[in-house]
């Protein structure tokens, strides 16, 4: 790493001034980011169209999904443009390299998006379920604090992923503490919220926990990706391992974003629809109840 002088720039930029990226690797990342924001904008239409399919008391969760989709779609679009503008194609080498004078590629756009979206994603479920033992405000505040601190500390840590393994791990560990607290709190909310609701709703609440756990566990993997391929105390900045880590990280982050925001939001909508129907709500009759 002695020949590199990008300071605390993220891993992808270091690869860009090393061997660069093949056409396949560069385009795969560009396409993944494009699919990411396209899915968010498509899901935006879904959440707008389904707002009235649930009782008014559940509609806040749909409104929050709409806000999340707008935020995620716009920031992923900016991230995709950042990726395209940060690299230039060298016709002689047949590879993409970091463009001279261009803004560096920055995963910070994702963190800014998460800083907006994570609290809202966590709040969403509180407008669908009824907590039987916990205080709504206490859980809401715990979600907000742990979610915000998780993102802020992770954001700081990603700037040291090449220059200081110790600081990278330290900030990542601090972020993980808040991450675990969110998982514990969400599990508690889902268990309490599943009490006394229709069997179908309980089944979908189980799906929500599985989707939540799966999608959120992808984020630490993406954070650590430069060190996972190949494993070691220094990330590989050249060769196939570097390309695999670059593509793998953006693919993992995007799959996690789509699952944790879109699929999670759709499942919450289904639960709200089931509970609305159980209460006698019929949206086909312009919101009248039976």
């Amino acid at each position: 790493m002695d020949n590199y002088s990008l300071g605390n720039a993220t891993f992808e930029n270091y690869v860009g001034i090393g061997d660069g990226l093949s056409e396949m690797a560069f385009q795969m990342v560009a396409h993944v980011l494009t699919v990411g924001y396209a899915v968010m904008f498509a899901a935006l239409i879904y959440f707008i169209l389904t707002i009235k399919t649930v009782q008014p008391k559940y509609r806040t969760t749909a409104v929050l999904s709409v806000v999340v989709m707008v935020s995620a779609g716009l920031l992923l679009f900016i991230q995709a443009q950042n990726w395209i503008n940060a690299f230039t194609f060298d016709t002689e080498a047949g590879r993409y390299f970091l463009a001279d004078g261009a803004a560096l590629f920055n995963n910070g756009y994702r963190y800014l998006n998460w800083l907006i979206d994570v609290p809202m994603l966590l709040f969403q479920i509180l407008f669908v379920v009824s907590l039987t033992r916990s205080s709504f405000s206490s859980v809401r505040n715990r979600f907000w604090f742990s979610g915000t601190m998780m993102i802020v500390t992770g954001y700081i840590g990603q700037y040291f992923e090449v220059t200081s393994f110790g600081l990278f791990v330290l900030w990542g560990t601090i972020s993980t503490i808040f991450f675990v607290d969110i998982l514990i709190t969400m599990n508690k909310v889902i268990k309490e919220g599943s009490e006394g609701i229709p069997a179908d709703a309980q089944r979908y609440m189980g799906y929500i926990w599985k989707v939540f756990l799966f999608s959120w566990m992808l984020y630490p993997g993406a954070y650590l990706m430069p060190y996972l391929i190949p494993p070691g105390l220094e990330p590989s900045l050249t060769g196939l391992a570097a390309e695999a880590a670059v593509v793998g990280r953006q693919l993992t982050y995007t799959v996690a974003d789509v699952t944790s925001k879109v699929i999670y939001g759709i499942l919450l909508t289904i639960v709200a629809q089931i509970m609305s129907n159980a209460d006698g709500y019929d949206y086909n009759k312009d919101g009248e109840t039976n």
Side-chain angles (χ1 to χ4, degrees):
M1 292 190 292
D2 294 338
N3 296 326
Y4 297 92
S5 57
L6 292 178
N8 287 338
T10 51
F11 166 74
E12 290 83 355
N13 297 289
Y14 277 86
V15 176
I17 62 170
D19 286 347
L21 295 164
S22 66
E23 171 74 10
M24 178 182 291
F26 176 84
Q27 294 298 343
M28 284 180 70
V29 171
H31 294 159
V32 163
L33 292 173
T34 300
V35 169
Y37 71 73
V39 169
M40 298 300 172
F41 287 135
L44 170 63
I45 298 173
Y46 167 83
F47 290 119
I48 290 174
L49 293 177
T50 56
I51 285 179
K52 291 187 176 181
T53 64
V54 301
Q55 284 181 295
K57 66 180 180 179
Y58 298 127
R59 290 178 188 171
T60 300
T61 189
V63 172
L64 290 175
S65 280
V66 168
V67 175
V68 167
M69 293 306 109
V70 172
S71 168
L74 289 175
L75 283 170
L76 274 175
F77 175 79
I78 293 172
Q79 178 105 69
Q81 299 310 302
N82 179 216
W83 174 261
I84 293 170
N85 295 331
F87 295 86
T88 186
F89 186 70
D90 187 315
T91 54
E92 292 185 5
R95 300 179 70 81
Y96 282 86
F97 293 92
L98 202 63
D100 291 336
L104 298 178
F105 179 72
N106 195 330
N107 284 305
Y109 289 112
R110 286 193 185 272
Y111 286 86
L112 292 175
N113 172 230
W114 298 330
L115 194 59
I116 298 170
D117 291 352
V118 165
M120 286 189 286
L121 287 169
L122 297 173
F123 294 164
Q124 274 184 272
I125 195 168
L126 299 179
F127 292 99
V128 174
V129 304
S130 296
L131 298 178
T132 57
R133 291 177 296 278
S134 301
S135 163
F136 177 94
S137 60
S138 176
V139 172
R140 180 198 59 201
N141 293 341
R142 186 172 174 179
F143 271 152
W144 177 84
F145 178 76
S146 291
T148 300
M149 293 304 297
M150 177 187 69
I151 300 306
V152 170
T153 52
Y155 175 81
I156 296 171
Q158 53 121 16
Y159 283 106
F160 298 103
E161 61 188 12
V162 175
T163 57
S164 176
F165 178 73
L167 289 174
F168 176 67
V169 172
L170 173 63
W171 285 106
T173 301
I174 295 172
S175 180
T176 301
I177 293 172
F178 296 108
F179 171 82
V180 171
D181 182 63
I182 290 171
L183 294 182
I184 292 172
T185 307
M186 178 60 76
N187 183 258
K188 180 180 179 181
V189 167
I190 288 176
K191 284 182 178 179
E192 286 190 32
S194 297
E195 297 175 4
I197 64 176
D200 283 348
Q202 289 181 358
R203 179 161 52 89
Y204 277 99
M205 289 293 286
Y207 295 156
I208 287 172
W209 170 242
K210 291 175 183 176
V211 165
F212 187 88
L213 188 61
F214 166 76
S215 60
W216 279 58
M217 290 302 293
L218 291 176
Y219 289 109
Y223 180 86
L224 294 169
M225 191 66 71
Y227 291 89
L228 298 179
I229 308 175
L233 296 181
E234 287 192 2
S236 175
L237 301 177
T238 59
L240 290 176
E243 286 196 359
V246 169
V247 175
R249 167 181 274 180
Q250 298 307 318
L251 178 61
T252 303
Y253 271 147
T254 302
V255 170
D257 277 348
V258 170
T259 308
S260 67
K261 296 172 183 178
V262 177
I263 306 230
Y264 168 77
I266 290 173
L267 289 174
L268 278 176
T269 298
I270 293 173
V271 170
Q273 289 171 341
I274 293 171
M275 295 173 68
S276 294
N277 291 338
D279 290 341
Y281 178 79
D282 186 353
Y283 65 88
N284 290 318
K285 294 182 179 180
D286 299 322
E288 295 178 3
T289 56
N290 293 330

